[in-house]
Amino acid sequence: MSDVDDPSSSSGEESHASDSSSYSNDRKVTMHLYLYQNEQQQPSRYHKYDGPSLQSALQLLNHDDPNFKFVKILISVDDHEENTALKSLDDVISAGRAIAKSATVENLGIMGNHLRSNEFDDGSNILLFLKEMKGNRSIRHVELDIWDVELDVWDAEEFGEKMLRELEPFLKNNPNLKSFVVEHCRICHDALCLLMVALMNRDSPLGSIELNCCYVDDEAVKFITYFFTDNPKMTPRKISLACNDISDVGYFFLSEVIGNDECKLEEISLIGNDSCGLTGIRSIVSAAAGREIPMKKLDFPADFMADTPDQLQEFVEFYSAFPAFVPNCTQFYCG
């Protein structure tokens, strides 16, 4: 198998001797790499590479094939796919280096599967891939979907922190990056600190930040809004904190950011935060109503509406009056 040069140094092979020494070579790591020409392409039209054909896909990346701007990579541990099971982490390293060198990849999706505590895989191969690819300066959109996570809480938080630590230079130094999405990964406060410091040290703000299903609570929201309150010009145009643990308290913190005249936020999604109430929603709507830059999209959870008939009636009256509160908002959704 031919290797790809390390973009950060000429001694890439030596630098990774210690990184891979702790991994068992007989551990079965399955890696699927999908190359596709546009974001809307159906799964059946994906060009899928795994096992022996993986190297041919890496060659396409190495030669900056202009037909493939969107790359989706699934890195998992799987005992059941013997034909595609890799006997070492060489392909993970090669794929990371290929992504790092590619000038055509714009959209990178990284999916992690079957992460478990003390069994099969703890996410180390994903971290190794991120360490290799983070030198890329052309990628515009990154999505990390670490699903089927069965790690213990402590291990999951440690993994989230390690993941963002690997990505910190990439988030900070890639001038072309427009959006960053993390889903189904436990993001602790230390990890949030790494993320926010990297974002605040960019030359320009991201267009979109999404932390969905990441166990974000009110304290985490307070931490996030602290940075944006001090640096309102670094606020993205879209924030999604869907399916987390945010209550009315977290909504109040967000309303302080939205109410800042220098805030550039235009879209916010908070669906799936079912511990909130109408009080929290009102605080955000009131902040949005007084903005010079209009909010274009507000998405809120709706489960609270059915608690009592009076509460439902209150919401219906509020929803009916919403256009008068924020006349320039093109979408107000509760679901």
Side-chain angles (χ1 to χ4, degrees), residues 250-265:
Y251 280 49
F252 290 138
F253 292 136
L254 289 169
S255 66
E256 293 179 3
V257 174
I258 293 172
N260 191 310
D261 290 337
E262 295 183 85
C263 174
K264 298 180 179 180
L265 187 65

Side-chain angles (χ1 to χ4, degrees), residues 251 268-272 274 276-278 281-282 285 297-305 315-316 318-319 322 331-335:
Y251 280 49
I268 189 166
S269 177
L270 295 163
I271 59 174
D274 299 330
C276 82
L278 191 55
I281 293 179
R282 283 184 184 276
V285 170
K297 184 178 178 181
L298 297 168
D299 291 347
F300 297 115
D303 286 2
F304 70 90
M305 293 189 303
F315 174 80
V316 170
F318 171 75
Y319 187 84
F322 175 78
Q331 178 174 328
F332 176 64
Y333 173 77
C334 287

Side-chain angles (χ1 to χ4, degrees), residues 50-119:
D50 52 36
S53 66
L54 181 61
Q55 192 62 27
S56 63
L58 298 183
Q59 290 300 320
L60 291 175
L61 293 177
N62 291 341
H63 290 91
D64 291 333
D65 189 318
N67 291 318
F68 299 109
K69 294 185 177 181
F70 301 87
V71 175
K72 188 159 289 188
I73 292 178
L74 169 61
I75 303 175
S76 67
V77 169
D78 196 336
D79 270 345
H80 306 294
E81 298 189 33
E82 295 293 339
N83 292 331
T84 60
L86 308 178
K87 298 301 182 181
S88 71
L89 296 177
D90 289 345
D91 281 336
V92 175
I93 294 174
S94 296
R97 292 179 180 177
I99 293 293
K101 292 186 66 176
S102 174
T104 58
V105 174
E106 294 182 1
N107 189 314
L108 178 62
I110 304 168
M111 297 174 288
N113 188 16
H114 302 303
L115 273 65
R116 300 184 177 97
S117 296
N118 303 319
E119 182 183 358

Side-chain angles (χ1 to χ4, degrees), residues 10-25:
S10 59
S11 57
E13 293 293 335
E14 296 179 3
S15 65
H16 284 281
S18 60
D19 292 333
S20 57
S21 61
S22 60
Y23 303 107
S24 172
N25 285 331

Side-chain angles (χ1 to χ4, degrees), residues 171-211:
L171 294 170
K172 177 182 174 182
N173 299 320
N174 182 353
N176 294 305
L177 188 65
K178 302 301 180 185
S179 68
F180 182 62
V181 180
V182 182
E183 296 187 342
H184 305 111
C185 184
R186 190 178 290 270
I187 304 297
C188 66
H189 290 189
D190 288 342
L192 269 179
C193 182
L194 292 169
L195 173 62
M196 297 308 298
V197 169
L199 296 180
M200 293 304 108
N201 282 286
R202 288 177 55 84
D203 291 334
S204 60
L206 292 185
S208 174
I209 300 172
E210 300 187 36
L211 300 175

Side-chain angles (χ1 to χ4, degrees), residues 98-154:
I99 293 293
K101 292 186 66 176
S102 174
T104 58
V105 174
E106 294 182 1
N107 189 314
L108 178 62
I110 304 168
M111 297 174 288
N113 188 16
H114 302 303
L115 273 65
R116 300 184 177 97
S117 296
N118 303 319
E119 182 183 358
F120 297 117
D121 181 45
D122 57 0
S124 300
N125 46 21
I126 296 175
L127 296 175
L128 186 59
F129 174 82
L130 295 176
K131 183 171 185 176
E132 291 296 339
M133 59 72 56
K134 65 186 179 184
N136 189 294
R137 295 293 181 267
S138 64
I139 294 176
R140 294 175 176 271
H141 310 282
V142 172
E143 178 179 353
L144 295 165
D145 190 357
I146 314 300
W147 48 287
D148 282 354
V149 176
E150 298 177 14
L151 298 172
D152 294 336
V153 172
W154 186 87

